[in-house]
Amino acid sequence: MASLQDQLRGLVYSTEHGDTCPECRQPVDDCRCDELAEDARLAGLDGIVRLRRETKGRKGKGVTLIEGVPLKADELKTLTKELKKRCGTGGALKDGVIEIQGDQRDLLKGELEKRGFKVKLAGG
């Protein structure tokens, strides 16, 4: 990571290339920062999908969190949509973690195991 001074002095737009990525200083069309971050996220996974229920910061409403799914971002988005449809509830995909509204751990565990993932129930 560049120092703060380098970040503040960096080129953000060029009439020759257009917008410039602040991380790698390449034109946005040639930037691979997102791909490298996605590859780093996938490399850090251990192959076990973890399901947990969380209510903290949600005004008592529970959600089921699915972490550690070893899929690329576009495949993860598709999986999120299919799981929400299967549960009949809403949800979201945030930073590689799937959130499904309500306590759906048992249903999701069966569905993910059917799709070939190794699943563990974690937390409360």
Side-chain angles (χ1 to χ4, degrees):
M1 184 77 192
S3 71
L4 180 61
Q5 290 298 322
D6 290 340
Q7 291 176 17
L8 294 175
R9 292 185 185 136
L11 180 68
V12 292
Y13 187 83
S14 167
T15 55
E16 184 177 344
H17 301 291
D19 290 330
T20 304
C21 175
E23 296 292 322
C24 64
R25 306 278 188 217
Q26 297 292 321
V28 172
D29 296 336
D30 298 335
C31 177
R32 294 183 25 120
C33 292
D34 291 337
E35 294 173 27
L36 296 175
E38 183 70 18
D39 291 341
R41 182 187 73 83
L42 289 174
L45 300 177
D46 60 357
I48 299 173
V49 177
R50 288 175 173 79
L51 293 175
R52 64 184 171 99
R53 183 172 177 266
E54 184 176 279
T55 58
K56 187 174 181 180
R58 301 174 192 279
K59 298 181 182 176
K61 309 272 187 198
V63 296
T64 303
L65 299 178
I66 306 170
E67 299 174 324
V69 181
L71 295 175
K72 293 272 189 186
D74 54 343
E75 296 168 345
L76 203 56
K77 191 172 183 178
T78 305
L79 178 66
T80 302
K81 184 176 180 180
E82 292 170 358
L83 292 176
K84 290 188 323 186
K85 188 181 289 186
R86 175 74 172 98
C87 293
T89 61
L93 174 64
K94 298 179 182 175
D95 299 325
V97 177
I98 301 172
E99 297 180 1
I100 304 290
Q101 294 176 352
D103 186 4
Q104 309 285 340
R105 289 178 292 182
D106 297 329
L107 178 65
L108 290 171
K109 183 177 184 199
E111 185 67 25
L112 290 170
E113 286 175 342
K114 194 183 332 177
R115 293 172 185 256
F117 296 107
K118 186 176 179 183
V119 181
K120 252 187 184 179
L121 293 178

